[in-house]
């Protein structure tokens, strides 16, 4: 999560506003940023492969994307639980990237690739119908109305997501800020591309099965904020 201060530590790239770096990296984290990260980085300055599975070693069934993975708790858990799926994690925050690299190395994870930058640019780069699922978990809510244009969920990004998702692909969204939940529901339900999968209140009040709570999610719970868990499917 980022605050609303304006200084030279912030930048705008595509639809991304946010800090690039926070606390100083530990020595091992800094080492992994120069040794392991280049091997896992998806270079979106080059033409995309026809099939994103080509970014990974081995025979994989499909590829999923997590946008803004923070400390990597959810992304790592999903990659370990689904070894036959390839995962792309996009995170512009350098400290988050360093944290997930430590986990990838320690657990020998082979089915994660990383993008240290703007997810909107990644979505524009990806080929059509190339992703099985896109997760956006506890994104920066930009709570002030004058900053709502900075939220990731916008008509343009939803259109791009509908292009890159496979038929019946899913977009999953988790947030503990009521205004952003309402914003997302309004944008997605009026989109001709997506169907909201909820049939009863618990379908958005409770995490979906086998959901891995993130550190930020636990903090929100401690502070009395209730998250909503929204699942949408491409029509």
């Amino acid at each position: 999560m980022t605050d609303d201060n304006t200084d030279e530590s912030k930048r705008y790239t595509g639809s991304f506003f946010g800090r690039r770096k926070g606390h100083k990296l530990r020595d091992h984290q800094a080492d992994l940023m120069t040794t392991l990260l280049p091997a896992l980085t998806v270079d979106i300055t080059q033409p995309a492969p026809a099939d994103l599975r080509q970014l990974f070693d081995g025979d994989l069934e499909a590829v999923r994307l997590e946008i803004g993975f923070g400390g990597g708790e959810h992304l790592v858990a999903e990659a370990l639980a689904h070894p036959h799926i390839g995962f792309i994690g996009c995170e512009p925050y350098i400290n988050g990237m360093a944290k997930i690299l430590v986990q990838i190395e320690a657990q020998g994870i082979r089915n994660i690739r990383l993008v240290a930058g703007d997810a909107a640019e990644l979505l524009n780069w990806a080929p059509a119908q190339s992703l099985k699922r896109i997760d956006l978990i506890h994104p920066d809510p930009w709570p002030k109305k004058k900053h709502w244009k900075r939220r990731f969920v916008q008509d343009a990004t939803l259109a791009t997501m509908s292009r890159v998702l496979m038929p019946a692909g899913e977009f999953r969204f988790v947030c503990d800020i009521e205004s952003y939940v309402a914003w997302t529901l309004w944008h997605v339900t009026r989109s001709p591309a997506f169907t909201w999968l909820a049939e009863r209140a618990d379908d958005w009040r409770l995490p979906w099965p086998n959901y891995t709570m993130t550190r930020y999610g636990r903090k929100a719970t401690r502070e009395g904020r209730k998250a909503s868990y929204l699942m949408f499917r491409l029509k």
Side-chain angles (χ1 to χ4, degrees), residues 142-218:
W142 295 106
K144 293 185 178 180
K145 189 173 182 178
K146 65 180 180 179
H147 294 143
W148 284 359
K149 63 182 180 295
R150 301 182 180 187
R151 290 175 169 175
F152 190 83
V153 176
Q154 305 282 348
D155 290 340
T157 49
L158 289 172
T160 306
M161 285 193 282
S162 70
R163 181 187 70 83
V164 301
L165 281 170
M166 296 176 174
E170 293 187 2
F171 168 47
R172 299 192 181 189
F173 176 88
V174 179
C175 186
D176 60 289
I177 305 301
E178 291 184 1
S179 68
Y180 200 0
V181 173
W183 167 279
T184 298
L185 281 171
W186 185 77
H187 279 78
V188 183
T189 56
R190 77 187 182 117
S191 165
F194 291 94
T195 297
W196 187 21
L197 297 180
E199 297 179 351
R200 58 188 66 84
D202 280 352
D203 290 341
W204 72 82
R205 290 175 179 168
L206 300 177
W208 51 79
N210 302 314
Y211 175 76
T212 299
M213 189 66 64
T214 66
R215 181 172 59 179
Y216 180 81
R218 292 192 295 271

Side-chain angles (χ1 to χ4, degrees), residues 33-99:
M33 292 290 289
T34 58
T35 57
L36 182 56
L37 180 58
L40 301 180
T41 292
V42 178
D43 185 358
I44 63 174
T45 67
Q46 299 298 314
D51 189 329
L52 291 183
R53 291 178 295 180
Q54 296 174 26
L55 298 171
F56 302 84
D57 300 324
D59 186 16
L60 298 177
E61 297 172 0
V63 178
R64 286 169 44 183
L65 168 65
E66 183 167 332
I67 297 170
F69 55 75
E73 302 96 337
H74 180 267
L75 179 56
V76 166
E78 289 295 294
L80 290 171
H82 304 282
H84 300 298
I85 300 290
F87 291 83
I88 299 175
C90 189
E91 175 58 62
Y93 193 48
I94 292 174
N95 295 75
M97 191 65 70
K99 288 178 181 178

